[in-house]
Amino acid sequence: EVIDRSLLLTGTLLHDFAKEREFVFSDLGIVTEYSTAGQLLGHLVMGAQEVADIARERGGESVVVTFDPHPRSVVGSAPVMLLNTLPEKLALLAGTGIDHAVVVDFTPEFSRLSMEEFVERDLVGRLHVDTLLVGYNHHLGRDKRGDFDSLSELGRRSGFDVRMMPRQDVDAHKVSSTVIRGLVAGGNLRDAARCLGAPYFLSGRLAADGTVLGVESGKLLPPAGEYAVRVGRDFSDEGADARLTIGPGRALRLHGGEECLVPGNAVVTFL
């Protein structure tokens, strides 16, 4: 089994479960580096905190199941540019009180699993799910058959509860990752931050000359240009003001004083 527990509260904030890797936050290398509560992005963190609350209520352990790569990159016609890379996602989750994160490899084979196969084999059979938290428009399994109503019916038969995260609105407009991606891609970082609940950021390694290296190719960047940012070593570091230029070929370079151009890990937050 992935986690040897008799009762686990499994928050499946995303979709599916296949080949697993378990991360316990106190033992994570890169995650513990970013584990202090800081720049926490709304959707992911709100759901994770709700899972943690349910776990305390039910006397169990909280688990977030996520996947890599993004399912639409596997079953869709083109790769999906990410608001959060996997290390960033785990870093954000580490500050929410979640006990465990399970990262699964989303493969074409896994995408063909039915809702019933996934739930009975993995959520019930392996994670011993007690309560499943899903988004208001969540669909699970092959052909997206696993909506809230069908999951609730399956839960009644299999002995677990299903709860729904409500839709999130900003100024009466629906907030979704698709909407936020459009804002970031269009350079509207102010409205993106309002939808996210925190400023947009990227993480990488800072070279002595101000070049930002190591930003994953799948990370969504704003258009080429110059941006006001703050640069810290991790999420707990308030950082220093700087300017970030994004050039052709995703070339990233920071400009500022010596306090923000210290080589090493860097979290760059757009202001």
Side-chain angles (χ1 to χ4, degrees), residues 10 95 118 214:
T10 303
F118 166 60

Side-chain angles (χ1 to χ4, degrees), residues 228-247:
V229 297
R230 288 188 69 82
V231 185
R233 305 289 291 183
D234 53 44
F235 289 151
S236 65
D237 184 1
E238 291 186 2
D241 291 334
R243 306 291 296 183
L244 174 70
T245 57
I246 303 178

Side-chain angles (χ1 to χ4, degrees), residues 69-80 106-108 111 144:
H70 192 291
R72 280 170 47 199
S73 293
V74 175
V75 301
S77 59
V80 175
F106 193 95
T107 65
S111 72
K144 298 182 178 181

Side-chain angles (χ1 to χ4, degrees):
E1 293 184 351
V2 179
I3 306 170
D4 185 15
R5 300 288 190 273
S6 61
L7 177 64
L8 290 175
L9 280 296
T10 303
T12 311
L13 301 181
L14 304 173
H15 284 221
D16 297 328
F17 193 97
K19 183 179 178 182
E20 315 88 355
R21 289 169 282 162
E22 184 194 353
F23 296 82
V24 178
F25 288 122
S26 60
D27 296 328
L28 273 176
I30 187 170
V31 170
T32 54
E33 186 173 12
Y34 300 117
S35 64
T36 303
Q39 304 293 346
L40 298 182
L41 290 148
H43 291 196
L44 181 67
V45 170
M46 287 174 60
Q49 289 173 337
E50 178 70 13
V51 172
D53 289 343
I54 294 171
R56 285 190 290 269
E57 168 195 322
R58 299 286 294 170
E61 296 189 22
S62 54
V63 180
V64 168
V65 177
T66 186
F67 48 73
D68 185 63
H70 192 291
R72 280 170 47 199
S73 293
V74 175
V75 301
S77 59
V80 175
M81 297 303 289
L82 303 174
L83 296 174
N84 298 121
T85 64
L86 179 60
E88 290 171 347
K89 187 182 297 181
L90 293 172
L92 294 169
L93 287 171
T96 65
I98 287 290
D99 295 312
H100 304 276
V102 175
V103 181
V104 304
D105 294 326
F106 193 95
T107 65
E109 293 75 19
F110 174 71
S111 72
R112 293 189 282 272
L113 282 180
S114 69
M115 169 194 71
E116 292 84 359
E117 289 172 320
F118 166 60
V119 171
E120 294 293 350
R121 186 192 72 181
D122 295 317
L123 294 188
V124 175
R126 307 181 78 176
L127 291 180
H128 314 294
V129 61
D130 175 271
T131 301
L132 178 67
L133 178 67
V134 297
Y136 78 97
N137 62 347
H138 180 84
H139 291 83
L140 181 70
R142 187 180 63 239
D143 300 326
K144 298 182 178 181
R145 289 185 52 246
D147 59 11
F148 179 77
D149 289 338
S150 59
L151 284 169
S152 297
E153 175 58 31
L154 183 56
R156 282 189 287 272
R157 298 200 308 265
S158 301
F160 63 88
D161 186 30
V162 180
R163 304 190 190 185
M164 180 190 294
M165 279 287 292
R167 166 174 156 167
Q168 304 299 316
D169 294 324
V170 172
D171 294 338
H173 297 289
K174 181 181 73 171
V175 173
S176 70
S177 58
T178 300
V179 169
I180 297 169
R181 285 191 188 95
L183 293 171
V184 173
N188 189 349
L189 296 172
R190 185 181 300 273
D191 283 346
R194 294 179 65 234
C195 291
L196 287 166
Y200 193 61
F201 73 93
L202 60 86
S203 59
R205 300 187 311 276
L206 183 61
D209 65 355
T211 302
V212 182
L213 306 170
V215 177
E216 293 189 21
S217 59
K219 175 73 174 184
L220 179 62
L221 297 180
E226 184 173 299
Y227 299 88
V229 297
R230 288 188 69 82
V231 185
R233 305 289 291 183
D234 53 44
F235 289 151
S236 65
D237 184 1
E238 291 186 2
D241 291 334
R243 306 291 296 183
L244 174 70
T245 57
I246 303 178
R250 295 170 60 92
L252 304 173
R253 191 180 183 93
L254 283 166
H255 309 269
E258 293 182 359
E259 68 278 7
C260 67
L261 296 180
V262 179
N265 291 339
V267 175
V268 181
T269 302
F270 293 88
L271 302 178

